[in-house]
Amino acid sequence: MKVTEHLKTGAKIFSFEFYPPKTEQDSVRFFDAARELKELNPDFVSVTNSSNGALPYRTVALSGVLKAELGLEVVAHLTCVAHTRAEIGEICSRLKGMGIKNILALRGDIHNLEGLSPRRDYSYASQLTADLAAMGDFSVGGACYPEKHPEAPTLEEDISHLKEKVAAGAEYLITQLFFDNAFYFRFLEKTAAAGISVPILPGLMPITGYKQMQNFTQMMKVTVPAALRKGIERWDGDKDGLFKFSVDYASAQAAELLKGGAPGLHLYTLNRSRAAIAILRNVKGGEGNSAKPLKAAEGQA
Ligand code: FAD
């Protein structure tokens, strides 16, 4: 089923992001995690792609296996900055052959090109989006950034380019992770005011360590609220304490997003199942819902 068909039903969507494992040991762990997460009946899982164009078929192959072996609906990420149009056509025909109906159209990170010069058939994701939409075989999604893309001079300019991506055929958007819901809600207002009306699925990730938090702030330029920073500092070195704090924080974030009208949740799993399972149990738990309001989770810091 295409993601857009799920979105049209109006039911909340729950999805997980994976990346192709690199070693045999990682693969074993990954498939264990994927099987556990399948038990939660995600509406789709997505599989990331390298941006330097080196290994696109790892994503294609993993997408095919997740669909054929585990019966999961898959969104294959496709980056374009290092590919020619002919290569994109070839990758798409392989995806189509494997029954993959959903693609997340991305430019890819320029800084990951490691000296390779971009091929220049594509400069922006909107161009890839237009090509994919013209093929007619896929439901096409795109990425967006509630705190603006790091290269964009302003959020307004970023949103104006996002509008071009939607006009080119992006039928829904998935956000960069964020730790303060105010950014997401402000983004919804600004995109709506700019005339963007496609669903915007929030991307969430529980922080698993102090170093990881620093990497995100530096690399992705996302804000870490003081309460989250304090909590992570407090529990650093205590694996169980940090896990509980992190899951509680993300669960509270998720509950507030869903209550505030988000069309669902996209969890960045880093190929692990435990935190994702705990968060979804918390937010889908109904009577047994243990997700505290965000303020309460923050208060634990
Ligand atoms: P674009 O939409 O092309 O935007 C990139 C920048 O260009 C923005 O600053 C935008 O404002 C600007 N821009 C767009 N159009 C124009 C224009 N016409 N003129 C001037 N400026 C313009 N990376 C990977 O390598 N692999 C992945 O699998 C992957 N998955 C991701 C999934 C999600 C949900 C998200 C949020 C990001 C993901 N990324 C991934 C990271 C992403 O590839 C990078 O952030 C990349 O730098 C931008 O990709 P984009 O598709 O958002 O680019």
Side-chain angles (χ1 to χ4, degrees):
M1 198 186 198
K2 290 181 171 173
V3 169
T4 29
E5 288 160 20
H6 275 297
L7 284 162
K8 273 185 207 145
T9 67
K12 302 280 186 196
I13 275 205
F14 296 95
S15 57
F16 302 122
E17 182 179 293
F18 299 136
Y19 63 86
K22 293 198 173 80
T23 64
E24 206 172 321
Q25 203 186 8
D26 283 350
S27 297
V28 172
R29 251 202 323 249
F30 166 73
F31 280 106
D32 285 346
R35 275 190 204 96
E36 282 165 16
L37 289 168
K38 176 188 153 61
E39 295 303 309
L40 298 178
N41 290 321
D43 294 292
F44 70 87
V45 298
S46 79
V47 182
T48 66
N49 207 329
S50 64
S51 62
N52 62 13
L55 296 163
Y57 291 103
R58 273 196 333 187
T59 301
V60 174
L62 184 60
S63 299
V65 168
L66 289 171
K67 186 166 179 79
E69 302 283 321
L70 297 191
L72 291 163
E73 201 52 66
V74 180
V75 173
H77 293 207
L78 182 56
T79 58
C80 61
V81 73
H83 285 300
T84 60
R85 238 179 209 106
E87 287 167 352
I88 290 290
E90 173 62 24
I91 296 167
C92 288
S93 78
R94 298 277 178 102
L95 286 169
K96 192 179 164 192
M98 286 175 159
I100 303 298
K101 295 188 171 68
N102 302 285
I103 292 182
L104 192 71
L106 298 149
R107 184 196 69 182
D109 274 322
I110 305 267
H111 63 78
N112 281 346
L113 291 177
E114 289 155 7
L116 294 168
S117 63
R119 304 279 187 89
R120 296 293 173 207
D121 267 2
Y122 297 97
S123 302
Y124 300 110
S126 53
Q127 297 161 316
L128 173 64
T129 304
D131 281 3
L132 296 174
M135 288 177 199
D137 298 314
F138 304 101
S139 163
V140 186
C144 64
Y145 306 81
E147 297 187 56
K148 92 172 177 63
H149 185 267
E151 290 163 30
T154 62
L155 182 59
E156 284 66 26
E157 198 165 324
D158 202 23
I159 289 175
S160 79
H161 294 307
L162 190 59
K163 200 174 168 184
E164 292 160 9
K165 189 152 62 178
V166 171
E171 297 165 278
Y172 63 96
L173 300 166
I174 303 180
T175 75
Q176 179 61 284
L177 55 89
F178 55 88
F179 300 110
D180 180 346
N181 290 347
F183 288 112
Y184 175 79
F185 291 122
R186 180 188 66 164
F187 189 66
L188 287 192
E189 280 172 19
K190 289 193 174 238
T191 48
I196 295 173
S197 58
V198 297
I200 300 181
L201 203 54
L204 282 192
M205 195 175 90
I207 287 266
T208 53
Y210 189 74
K211 219 166 165 203
Q212 190 193 41
M213 178 182 75
Q214 283 182 320
N215 287 346
F216 285 135
T217 344
Q218 278 158 21
M219 231 170 56
M220 297 176 182
K221 306 267 186 277
V222 297
T223 305
V224 178
L228 178 58
R229 183 178 299 276
K230 262 170 55 192
I232 286 166
E233 282 167 359
R234 171 175 167 186
W235 295 108
D236 199 36
D238 173 348
K239 225 171 141 203
D240 292 341
L242 180 61
F243 179 82
K244 185 173 180 331
F245 170 78
S246 184
V247 162
D248 282 351
Y249 188 93
S251 301
Q253 239 197 309
E256 188 177 274
L257 288 165
L258 293 171
K259 202 169 157 211
L265 296 173
H266 182 68
L267 293 182
Y268 294 104
T269 67
L270 298 181
N271 289 359
R272 305 287 161 133
S273 59
R274 202 172 145 227
I277 289 171
I279 293 165
L280 276 206
R281 288 228 169 102
N282 282 344
V283 295
K284 285 175 126 184
E287 286 292 288
N289 187 349
S290 68
K292 300 181 189 76
L294 198 52
K295 291 294 162 218
E298 285 171 354
Q300 291 181 359

